[in-house]
Amino acid sequence: MTDLRDLAEPTTPDPDLVGVLTDLFADYRATRATPTAVVDLDRDLWQRLEQLGMTRLTGRESSGGSGGGWVDAAALLGLAAAAAAPVPLAEHDLLGGWLLEAAGLPNDGGLRTVCRPDPSGVALNVTWARDASRIVALWEDRDQWRVADVPIDRVAIEERRNLAGEPSDTVEFDLDDLENGTVVAHEIGEQFHLRGALARSAQVVGAMERVVEVVLAHVREREQFGRPIGRFQAVQHLVADIASETALARAATDAAVARAAASEWRDPGMLFAVGVAKSCVGHAASVVVRGAHQALGAIGTTLEHELHTLTRPILARRSEYGSLQDWDETLTALASSAGHDRLWTLITTGRAKPSSGQRPPHDNA
Amino acid sequence: MTDLRDLAEPTTPDPDLVGVLTDLFADYRATRATPTAVVDLDRDLWQRLEQLGMTRLTGRESSGGSGGGWVDAAALLGLAAAAAAPVPLAEHDLLGGWLLEAAGLPNDGGLRTVCRPDPSGVALNVTWARDASRIVALWEDRDQWRVADVPIDRVAIEERRNLAGEPSDTVEFDLDDLENGTVVAHEIGEQFHLRGALARSAQVVGAMERVVEVVLAHVREREQFGRPIGRFQAVQHLVADIASETALARAATDAAVARAAASEWRDPGMLFAVGVAKSCVGHAASVVVRGAHQALGAIGTTLEHELHTLTRPILARRSEYGSLQDWDETLTALASSAGHDRLWTLITTGRAKPSSGQRPPHDNA
Amino acid sequence: MSARLVPPGARELPALTDLRLEVRAFLADQVAAGAFVPHVDTWLTRWDRDFTRELGRRGWLGMVIPTEYGGQGRTYLERFVVTEELLVVGAPVAAHWIAERQIGPSLLRYGTEEQKQAFLPGISRGEVVFGIGMSEPDSGSDLASVRTRAERVDGGWRLTGTKVWTSGAHEADAFFALARSAPLDPAHRHEGLSQFIVDLRAPGVTIRPIISMGGDHHFNEVHLDGVLIPDERVLGEVGQGWSQVSSELAYERSGPERVLSTFQLLAAAAQAMDDGRLPTDPGLGRHVARVAALHHMSFAVSTALEHHEDADTAAAVVKVLGTTGEGDIADYVDTLTASGWALDEELDTLLHAAILQRPGFTLRGGTNEILRGVIARGLGMR
Amino acid sequence: MSARLVPPGARELPALTDLRLEVRAFLADQVAAGAFVPHVDTWLTRWDRDFTRELGRRGWLGMVIPTEYGGQGRTYLERFVVTEELLVVGAPVAAHWIAERQIGPSLLRYGTEEQKQAFLPGISRGEVVFGIGMSEPDSGSDLASVRTRAERVDGGWRLTGTKVWTSGAHEADAFFALARSAPLDPAHRHEGLSQFIVDLRAPGVTIRPIISMGGDHHFNEVHLDGVLIPDERVLGEVGQGWSQVSSELAYERSGPERVLSTFQLLAAAAQAMDDGRLPTDPGLGRHVARVAALHHMSFAVSTALEHHEDADTAAAVVKVLGTTGEGDIADYVDTLTASGWALDEELDTLLHAAILQRPGFTLRGGTNEILRGVIARGLGMR
């Protein structure tokens, strides 16, 4: 019989890492304050993560990172999101740290966020901008992509908040600061949107898995008409549906992460793989958020309940790095370009044409 | 207190007419043959309807019609569709008869269908073409609309069938026969598509109401796990959903029919009203067909069961006179043209702009 | 059994349309003057006593209250069009909503002459503001499980218990409380309940806020600690609370507030599509069509109620479809919207508010699970 | 309890991909040569013994049957990719489907050495064609309610009863029949059932067609009138029929045929959008994404089964999502298609077939209502 190891490679994160993080976030959950409508950076948690090397998990060891890959990083993002931890792991490490390395710029480890300013130097909805020491900017300048690592005191910040109540600021750069950006490879500029979209997918899936747990605990305990509401067939089906959609979103996200990790993002099928994850995650979010709030009832809409600390970020993040509609349109374009004879090839390899590269639309996250 | 009669006018069909038709179709249902995959015109039933004046219900009395209005006609279409009666009432009377009257052409009462040939003289999916004695053609000829009443032996028919198994033929006209068509008013050409779409909506709603009855009878009688399946909460909710969607489709269709009847189709809001009906009916069809077959189980997929004599025409007709997508796009165009400040005016009056007229897209039924 | 769940439709005639246009013109002026900023779900979240009193002055409150009690003596159909116009424009109507929708009609039906004289004129002027006290901790959709006790005392009753989800209690003058006036008989759970008119400033009443997930304060816990209710503030018959409450459900469930809570968001999305700020998408047309159809269906139910026809099942249909649609509009617009792409303050504000309010749409006034059961019963399945 | 219903994913490695491409190239040649016309739901509706035998010759049947029984001795993962490739291209695979999916594995697990020798080589060559006899009139999803009786006789059993929805029985050689070999004990309904291998040409077997709503003949009623089954054609243990049948459910429910039945329609729609025959619409991307995610999920379940891990709940998730999606694709394309607008023979043919087959997707192999209950149980709710 064929050796199974030649056929398929499991893509699971380092169990030790998962163990450490599970304990850390369990502890965080047990000691955190009651939920609030406005959510600010938790610097204590950030320091604990920093001490464990988690804030620069994917950075090269030569530049002070932990040398981890996307499989572990996606696990970290998911566990943090399940704990509704207000820390900019994606922005600081997977996007900002990566851009600095790509540009060969030094990284002092200070908290960073990232954005793509428009030609006038303005970037909208920059998460955690007000909390960063520097902001890593990426922009397209006459067919070249450039990166700059701009100190926070060189930008003007208009404080805003996203649906999750987190900082999501408007940042205005001094155009002088952008003028001398470091040129990076073209692929860096194209990958940024994909990496951001996949990081968001991993976060949303992690939060949705926690939502399923919260819902299950509730429907087992809460009684109505003399029995736990989880005994009602309508509630069982509703919970089965949110758990199933979450599982599908997980499968799509894991597959994209595995492909990214195996190819170090060089696989030309990454656009399709990320699109599949973003689409499945985004549609799952509709089902999961609606279903969870319906199952929890009025209590789930109160400020003190955990549920909204998950559902609000789920919806906030599914619209980052492209709307759900944008990604469905991207997939539609890929699918119709693949046409009848190559649709299955697209699904199995991510390539619509024998040699295709395609940029995502609206990729100005 | 205000007199209610000044505020709202009920729009219900003539109860005597409904009584006669209910009896007629009950009798038809009781005596018809078992269902078949291929459905042919029932000439006996057609004759009985003809004897009652139903085949020309909306024709002017001066030209041999019964002088009925759209409210009664919609009731007739719905009851006939609920009985899955294979008779071309919409084609012959509401569309064909109306076009002949509009063109001032004689109507000998012989069975007619209608179509809109393209410039090469070809019309696709012409229902009941092979069974007609003449085909009423409508086409646009250099900004003028023209009508011709063409004998069946002057056209070439390629026999095809629609999803319902009914004749839905490709008809090729001799261009000579179309050359001397009678010019009709512009509004006739524009109304044709709307009248066809609303007639189809009335048929689909009638069939869906019968589906709800079939489902209810089944779930009360059929037992599984020791009790009627209608006692299971999941089945109750499924049936509640199909009945609710059917009710919504009914409300939308009745409103459009009432507006058509009150204004004799002159109300500029008819495009919106028909679009609302076609959209709600079309989306309801998805829910109702899926839900009914799910509730009925395998037995409902057999040739001998009544269910498919309803669900197949429901789906066949919702794609006639514009696809569901076409109509949603038409409504989107109207709604975005109305914009923020006039969206509610659009909903209450059908007018997107203070003086608007708009043609439906893809109106080549 | 009939597969027809909803009464036949009716066409609005010019007398109604004139009223509609009159209200619409007034509201357009108010918006233009900045008297209020259009918003979503305003019948719960936007409280403005001045605006409410202005509606009273114009004769658009107490619409179905007879003139001898200070009302307008008009029809449910006329109230329907006024209500629709107020909701679609996102006007601040929370202060009078509950009184106008159910307190007034309940008082008319079950109140004593003294009670009618005491409350209806103030309600019609928009000066007396009511809440409603039904739900209790853990009662959820099972209203018969209320545990607030009404104990007979000399000349009245003493109420002890806790009501939750009482919207606007912190701003209101009084509320109707459902309480158990006789011990629970498990075999007849719906018996022994009574309704009381409770002055929210009476001794023994404590009101604590329940803060919503968006940080807003609309709901309250109302603690009743031996609150004395004189006999003349019992509503209707002692022990008949359940049937009194149930008889109002069709009015409570079929109104346009079960359809239009997110209409301002839909309108903003239509504008954004026209302006190119949102991608053109057939989903807009689909949602507009459903709102239009529900407008007809809700009107049909109002017509039936005006004729005193039974419409409980039809009202449940309106509420299930309408509240689902309200929420679907929020989710739909959310799926079209990309963060970081463009700044659209108005759309963002409406969208975020709609998303935060959405869970309540299909829970309040009977969950959609309960209501689908009501529909199944109407279809003869239970 | 874990919220994780589905086993972790795995990445396909080149050895599998090479097999995939080999099968794909063969199938492309077959289509080009006109050996078959791609269609929807071919694992139920397209029966071609020649094609099946050709697959056997190429080593793509009996994939998981050991070589000593004439099989290929390969893995479930290898069978998985072969199966996917056959389904997406719409190949005529009905003749071997049931044998390959469940009869072979069941014989391997429960069959006697003689039974294995008797059937497995023929199955692996595509020469012995099997059906399955589970459902009965009125049994529906409640399989324990089967009433076919197995009566003990000298040297064997006599089967009497009626099986329905037996696909391909009119073309098959034999089927597995589930029958009651001991009287029903209402307290232990799952006991007293046994499985029998029935020669469909044996005396006492009568096969009558059940015609589907589209006029096609795929299903049958199989009447068993005292059919003699020798002891050596009892499968597994007498009285253990229920657990034997149940143990195969994960294999039966999680396969790609629960995802890909309408893939040819989806592919045709993608082409039609590219050609401008259908409007460009983001729904295409949404459906393609779901198919892709289900491909990963179904592969993950196969990996777990290969490792003999419990995957009943995960299989139910695949089947619920997959079969719903198959049907949604049919409905989706239908909503885009206007009658009378353009003639597209290929798309029309696939669409009509998909619509007519659709009701079966979410019924066969356990209805989605039953399966959502299975998922709820997996979540610890029942």
Side-chain angles (χ1 to χ4, degrees), chain A residues 209 211-213 215-217 219-220 230 235-247, chain D residues 1-6 312-314 317 371-382:
Chain A
E209 286 171 342
V211 166
V212 175
E213 291 177 356
V215 169
L216 281 172
V219 302
R220 286 205 201 98
V235 176
Q236 291 180 356
H237 286 194
L238 185 141
V239 178
D241 288 348
I242 69 175
S244 298
E245 282 293 321
T246 300
Chain D
M1 177 284 308
S2 159
R4 176 142 210 166
L5 288 176
V6 173
D312 287 356
T313 308
V317 173
L371 291 170
R372 287 154 97 200
V374 170
I375 297 167
R377 186 177 295 119
L379 290 165
M381 294 177 73
R382 318 175 41 188

Side-chain angles (χ1 to χ4, degrees), chain B residues 332-348:
Chain B
T332 296
L334 287 170
S336 59
S337 153
H340 180 279
D341 291 348
R342 284 188 62 90
L343 184 63
W344 183 243
T345 302
L346 175 68
I347 287 171
T348 50

Side-chain angles (χ1 to χ4, degrees), chain C residues 81-151:
Chain C
V81 302
V82 172
T83 303
E84 277 197 330
E85 295 297 324
L86 287 166
L87 289 169
V88 293
V89 79
V93 293
H96 64 263
W97 200 263
I98 290 168
E100 181 70 9
R101 179 176 71 190
Q102 61 202 104
I103 302 294
S106 276
L107 282 169
L108 276 175
R109 183 151 176 195
Y110 300 112
T112 63
E113 185 60 26
E114 185 272 337
Q115 288 169 349
K116 293 179 194 172
Q117 295 288 359
F119 294 109
L120 293 176
I123 285 175
S124 298
R125 285 193 306 273
E127 285 168 2
V128 175
V129 170
F130 263 88
I132 195 94
M134 307 265 271
S135 295
E136 300 196 2
D138 302 325
S139 75
S141 295
D142 184 9
L143 278 183
S145 71
V146 301
R147 288 177 300 192
T148 293
R149 293 192 322 276
E151 289 171 307

Side-chain angles (χ1 to χ4, degrees), chain D residues 214-354:
Chain D
D216 297 322
H217 174 199
H218 307 302
F219 295 111
N220 301 276
E221 275 187 16
V222 179
H223 301 276
L224 305 171
D225 185 11
V227 178
L228 180 66
I229 312 291
D231 279 333
E232 60 268 29
R233 288 295 171 266
V234 173
L235 180 71
E237 225 177 301
V238 170
Q240 293 302 306
W242 180 260
S243 76
Q244 290 174 203
V245 163
S246 301
S247 73
E248 303 300 326
L249 289 177
Y251 294 95
E252 189 189 331
R253 286 175 174 165
S254 66
E257 75 270 31
R258 306 305 184 174
V259 177
L260 297 172
S261 301
T262 55
F263 188 81
Q264 276 292 312
L265 176 63
L266 188 66
Q271 187 66 52
M273 256 180 228
D274 198 45
D275 297 345
R277 284 173 288 119
L278 285 182
T280 296
D281 181 81
L284 176 70
R286 171 166 48 92
H287 286 293
V288 168
R290 288 184 82 85
V291 170
L294 283 160
H295 153 73
H296 295 302
M297 191 189 261
S298 184
F299 187 73
V301 177
S302 280
T303 310
L305 292 174
E306 185 70 58
H307 290 105
H308 308 292
E309 292 162 13
D310 173 38
D312 287 356
T313 308
V317 173
V318 170
K319 185 171 180 303
V320 168
L321 295 177
T323 57
T324 303
E326 292 176 330
D328 287 348
I329 288 168
D331 191 58
Y332 170 65
V333 178
D334 194 43
T335 63
L336 297 180
T337 311
S339 175
W341 177 238
L343 206 57
D344 185 337
E345 293 271 6
E346 187 201 353
L347 189 71
D348 268 10
T349 301
L350 292 169
L351 175 59
H352 289 186

Side-chain angles (χ1 to χ4, degrees), chain C residues 184-258:
Chain C
L184 176 67
D185 171 1
H188 302 91
R189 302 171 68 231
H190 296 162
E191 292 179 6
L193 295 166
S194 304
Q195 279 185 293
F196 300 89
I197 306 171
V198 181
D199 179 349
L200 287 170
R201 291 181 194 114
V205 176
T206 314
I207 298 172
R208 297 208 190 103
I210 298 175
I211 306 299
S212 299
M213 63 195 231
D216 298 321
H217 175 198
H218 308 303
F219 294 112
N220 301 275
E221 275 187 15
V222 179
H223 301 276
L224 305 171
D225 184 10
V227 177
L228 181 66
I229 312 292
D231 279 333
E232 60 267 28
R233 288 295 171 266
V234 172
L235 180 71
E237 227 178 299
V238 170
Q240 292 303 306
W242 181 261
S243 77
Q244 289 174 202
V245 163
S246 301
S247 73
E248 303 299 327
L249 288 177
Y251 293 96
E252 190 189 329
R253 287 174 173 165
S254 66
E257 75 271 30
R258 306 304 184 176

Side-chain angles (χ1 to χ4, degrees), chain D residues 121-256:
Chain D
I123 285 175
S124 300
R125 287 192 305 272
E127 285 169 2
V128 175
V129 170
F130 263 88
I132 195 93
M134 306 264 272
S135 296
E136 300 197 0
D138 301 326
S139 75
S141 297
D142 184 10
L143 278 183
S145 71
V146 301
R147 288 177 300 191
T148 293
R149 293 191 322 276
E151 289 170 307
R152 196 76 184 104
V153 294
D154 199 31
W157 300 77
R158 280 203 184 273
L159 262 59
T160 304
T162 300
K163 294 291 175 183
V164 289
W165 313 118
T166 309
S167 57
H170 55 306
E171 309 248 26
D173 304 306
F175 80 162
F176 280 8
L178 183 68
R180 191 156 281 292
S181 51
L184 176 67
D185 171 1
H188 303 91
R189 303 172 67 232
H190 297 162
E191 293 180 5
L193 295 165
S194 303
Q195 279 185 294
F196 300 89
I197 306 171
V198 181
D199 179 350
L200 286 170
R201 289 179 198 115
V205 176
T206 314
I207 297 172
R208 296 207 190 104
I210 298 175
I211 305 299
S212 300
M213 62 196 233
D216 297 322
H217 174 199
H218 307 302
F219 295 111
N220 301 276
E221 275 187 16
V222 179
H223 301 276
L224 305 171
D225 185 11
V227 178
L228 180 66
I229 312 291
D231 279 333
E232 60 268 29
R233 288 295 171 266
V234 173
L235 180 71
E237 225 177 301
V238 170
Q240 293 302 306
W242 180 260
S243 76
Q244 290 174 203
V245 163
S246 301
S247 73
E248 303 300 326
L249 289 177
Y251 294 95
E252 189 189 331
R253 286 175 174 165
S254 66

Side-chain angles (χ1 to χ4, degrees), chain D residues 54-71:
Chain D
E54 178 62 26
L55 293 180
R57 272 191 291 277
R58 289 176 177 266
W60 297 330
L61 292 186
M63 296 279 295
V64 297
I65 294 173
T67 49
E68 63 259 40
Y69 301 119

